[in-house]
Amino acid sequence: DATSAVSEKATSSYAVVAAHAKSAELAVSSIEAHAKQQAKHLKQSFAQYWLEKEKKAWARVGYTEKQIQWLYDHLEKAFKNKADLAKNDIDNALHTVRLFLQEARVQSATQIEHQITRIQRLLEVWKQ
């Protein structure tokens, strides 16, 4: 009957509208979460950002808490804010980290270079 067809169509249309609304809510929620994460990164120093992203991995590789703390302290001192990041400063700080890692003898030279590259990539993401 016509009433039931209209009712089914209305219910179906309502379901589509509700699904679109839910999808839009999820998209907005995702954007808000991303914005909050970006704001958090803006407030963090690079050392805090590095520690949050890498501490567990460095510990698993075999670095001690003391070594990780030294790296954190060095990165904190070297990369205080995004405005002061000259290429020469970055290169000097990473050279010091490289020497520290070599002296720690936890990883091979190739693995150390991988760690340096990883720090450089995180620095680029943090600066954005």
Side-chain angles (χ1 to χ4, degrees):
D1 108 314
T3 306
S4 120
V6 169
S7 178
E8 285 178 29
K9 188 168 184 169
T11 302
S12 177
S13 294
Y14 175 78
V16 169
V17 169
H20 283 289
K22 184 65 174 172
S23 178
E25 284 177 31
L26 291 173
V28 168
S29 177
S30 176
I31 291 168
E32 287 173 348
H34 181 71
K36 285 178 184 176
Q37 187 68 16
Q38 287 301 102
K40 180 182 175 187
H41 290 311
L42 289 174
K43 293 176 186 173
Q44 283 183 319
S45 69
F46 176 69
Q48 291 167 324
Y49 178 72
W50 172 83
L51 192 64
E52 179 183 294
K53 299 284 186 190
E54 298 290 305
K55 182 178 182 177
K56 288 179 184 173
W58 284 67
R60 273 194 310 270
V61 168
Y63 289 97
T64 66
E65 280 291 323
K66 187 175 180 180
Q67 290 168 323
I68 293 170
Q69 185 63 46
W70 183 92
L71 284 161
Y72 172 85
D73 292 342
H74 181 70
L75 294 172
E76 186 71 32
K77 187 174 91 180
F79 305 125
K80 285 189 179 176
N81 73 52
K82 296 174 187 181
D84 296 337
L85 293 178
K87 179 160 177 30
N88 191 41
D89 295 336
I90 293 170
D91 291 345
N92 287 337
L94 293 177
H95 177 72
T96 302
V97 169
R98 183 180 286 109
L99 292 175
F100 176 78
L101 297 178
Q102 289 168 346
E103 289 175 15
R105 298 177 186 207
V106 173
Q107 295 180 294
S108 70
T110 302
Q111 291 168 321
I112 290 170
E113 288 310 309
H114 175 75
Q115 295 288 16
I116 297 298
T117 300
R118 177 79 180 137
I119 292 171
Q120 288 172 317
R121 287 183 184 142
L122 285 172
L123 190 56
E124 290 301 315
V125 169
W126 176 75
K127 287 186 335 185
Q128 294 177 357

